[in-house]
Amino acid sequence: MLKFLPSSTLLLLGYLHYSHAQCTTPSITVASGTHAPTGTICPGDLIFEDNFDELDLKKWNHEQTLGGGGNWEFEWYTNSRYNSYVDGGILYIKPTLLADENGEEFLSSGTLDINGGSPADEYGKVEVRAKLPSGDWLWPAIWFLPRYNQYSSWPISGEIDLMESRGNRNYVNGSGVNIGTQLVSSTLHWGPAWNINKYMLTHAERLNPEGYDANWHNYQMTWTDNEINFSIDDEPLATFAPPSGGFWEWGDLDTSGYDNPWKRNTKMAPFDQEFYIILNLACGGTSYFPDDATNPGGKPWQNPSGTASTDFWKGRDQWLPTWQLETDNAAFKIDYVRIWAL
């Protein structure tokens, strides 16, 4: 029997309603849905804020799935207060082991995002203050998906990864770089087909020898109708600004064998539509943890294996002690989420 780890994903359900001052030039930010701000949106308006004084399920939705997120991850996303809860103004997304009625253990975690894509926004400034987890093969992420998939399925309609990291404290690649808790990345995913993803043209990384699990950090994005900027703690990480021919030109996709799905739209397409935010803590999978990096105790599975999840579970004596579940070290902690209009 395959074993799964419970987890949680949180999806943003709704914007708070704010009153807006009159402004001569309205914001370029678009926000729609039943919980979106009413009236004119002005530049600089705070259009969403959650300080997690409570887990408000009018704002957030739990995705419940064993689907593996397209990466054959090993967690089971649940709506469970074992996996996602608020304590002292902090949102915790924590992996746990749960037993079913037969005593079989499953790995669960959490993922939260907006309810049905409502509300979602196009263009704006985002800041999420978070402390990353430590524990082998944990995969925290703050990311965005399109509300309507206006240009077709992934990655044609795009994906924005504000922050991704790995929970391994001593996971080192062939160049001697720690690609675990010491490294975070921001990425745009885009391309004309699932197997033509030009994300490496819009991918940036930052190393922190202290580890991003050691302290709180602010993960920031400014998304305009000309470019997308990523920063950490107000220090710029990367600016991705497509040329006049858009991402099609940037990716040199004329020879891809596909027609340009964005040619009737702005140069920012597919990043010229409404996206919604996702907070999640995944585990393992067959894409994000390279086989050729070294880790104390080894890696229990190989990515090409047809029994990767079973091999992972059988190797729990390697990874489970690193989670230190008697503490909150393995929890992905979020202090606040804030979104402003431009």
Side-chain angles (χ1 to χ4, degrees):
M1 175 183 291
L2 295 183
K3 311 295 183 179
F4 296 92
L5 304 103
S7 187
S8 279
T9 294
L10 282 176
L11 297 87
L12 178 59
L13 283 172
Y15 285 103
L16 301 180
H17 290 275
Y18 290 93
S19 60
H20 303 285
Q22 295 297 316
C23 47
T24 303
T25 304
S27 170
I28 64 170
T29 299
V30 174
S32 69
T34 56
H35 292 82
T38 57
T40 301
I41 299 176
C42 297
D45 280 349
L46 180 64
I47 58 176
F48 175 78
E49 181 178 27
D50 197 338
N51 295 307
F52 296 110
D53 297 319
E54 60 176 327
L55 180 52
D56 188 345
L57 297 183
K58 294 179 182 179
K59 299 177 187 175
W60 299 96
N61 176 61
H62 289 82
E63 183 179 358
Q64 301 181 66
T65 178
L66 287 166
N71 303 292
W72 299 107
E73 301 152 20
F74 306 143
E75 78 285 338
W76 171 22
Y77 285 136
T78 68
N79 178 357
S80 168
R81 298 297 72 77
Y82 292 111
N83 299 121
S84 55
Y85 57 90
V86 164
D87 186 14
I90 303 297
L91 169 67
Y92 291 77
I93 304 178
K94 184 175 182 178
T96 63
L97 299 182
L98 299 179
D100 66 11
E101 62 271 17
N102 298 314
E104 298 286 352
E105 287 185 314
F106 296 82
L107 170 61
S108 63
S109 187
T111 178
L112 292 87
D113 63 14
I114 69 171
N115 183 16
S118 176
D121 64 279
E122 173 185 352
Y123 310 132
K125 180 180 178 181
V126 179
E127 181 171 279
V128 180
R129 182 167 176 79
K131 187 176 183 183
L132 304 193
S134 62
D136 285 2
W137 320 120
L138 295 177
W139 178 0
I142 305 165
W143 54 303
F144 299 77
L145 283 176
R147 179 178 179 186
Y148 294 116
N149 285 314
Q150 181 171 335
Y151 300 106
S152 190
S153 57
W154 186 93
I156 305 170
S157 287
E159 173 185 320
I160 303 171
D161 297 337
L162 172 55
M163 185 286 303
E164 290 183 286
S165 188
R166 302 175 183 90
N168 305 57
R169 282 197 170 121
N170 297 290
Y171 193 41
V172 179
N173 68 14
S175 300
V177 176
N178 186 313
I179 60 171
T181 57
Q182 293 184 24
L183 183 141
V184 296
S185 63
S186 298
T187 310
L188 304 180
H189 291 266
W190 49 280
W194 69 269
N195 58 339
I196 305 177
N197 181 357
K198 292 292 186 174
Y199 74 95
M200 286 307 297
L201 296 175
T202 49
H203 174 80
E205 300 176 343
R206 177 163 294 165
L207 284 166
N208 174 6
E210 183 183 33
Y212 287 94
D213 60 319
N215 284 299
W216 292 87
H217 295 278
N218 295 341
Y219 300 96
Q220 301 152 322
M221 176 178 71
T222 301
W223 171 25
T224 78
D225 53 0
N226 286 300
E227 62 189 28
I228 295 178
N229 300 295
F230 294 108
S231 299
I232 302 173
D233 298 328
D234 296 317
E235 294 187 9
L237 173 62
T239 295
F240 299 127
S244 59
F247 285 88
W248 187 265
E249 178 185 340
W250 196 349
D252 192 22
L253 291 166
D254 281 337
T255 59
S256 67
Y258 289 87
D259 189 34
N260 182 355
W262 314 308
K263 63 185 177 183
R264 298 175 184 87
N265 298 86
T266 74
K267 73 171 188 176
M268 285 298 291
F271 304 103
D272 60 350
Q273 58 179 316
E274 293 170 80
F275 280 67
Y276 61 92
I277 191 170
I278 304 170
L279 311 171
N280 77 280
L281 179 59
C283 184
T286 58
S287 66
Y288 192 58
F289 294 89
D291 291 333
D292 58 358
T294 60
N295 185 72
K299 184 184 177 191
W301 80 100
Q302 294 291 300
N303 290 339
S305 172
T307 59
S309 60
T310 301
D311 297 339
F312 170 77
W313 181 256
K314 289 179 178 178
R316 60 190 177 277
D317 287 346
Q318 179 273 317
W319 50 262
L320 189 56
T322 72
W323 291 13
Q324 300 178 327
L325 288 179
E326 68 279 6
T327 72
D328 64 7
N329 290 346
F332 183 20
K333 304 179 226 7
I334 298 96
D335 185 14
Y336 61 74
V337 176
R338 294 171 185 164
I339 302 175
W340 295 266
L342 293 181

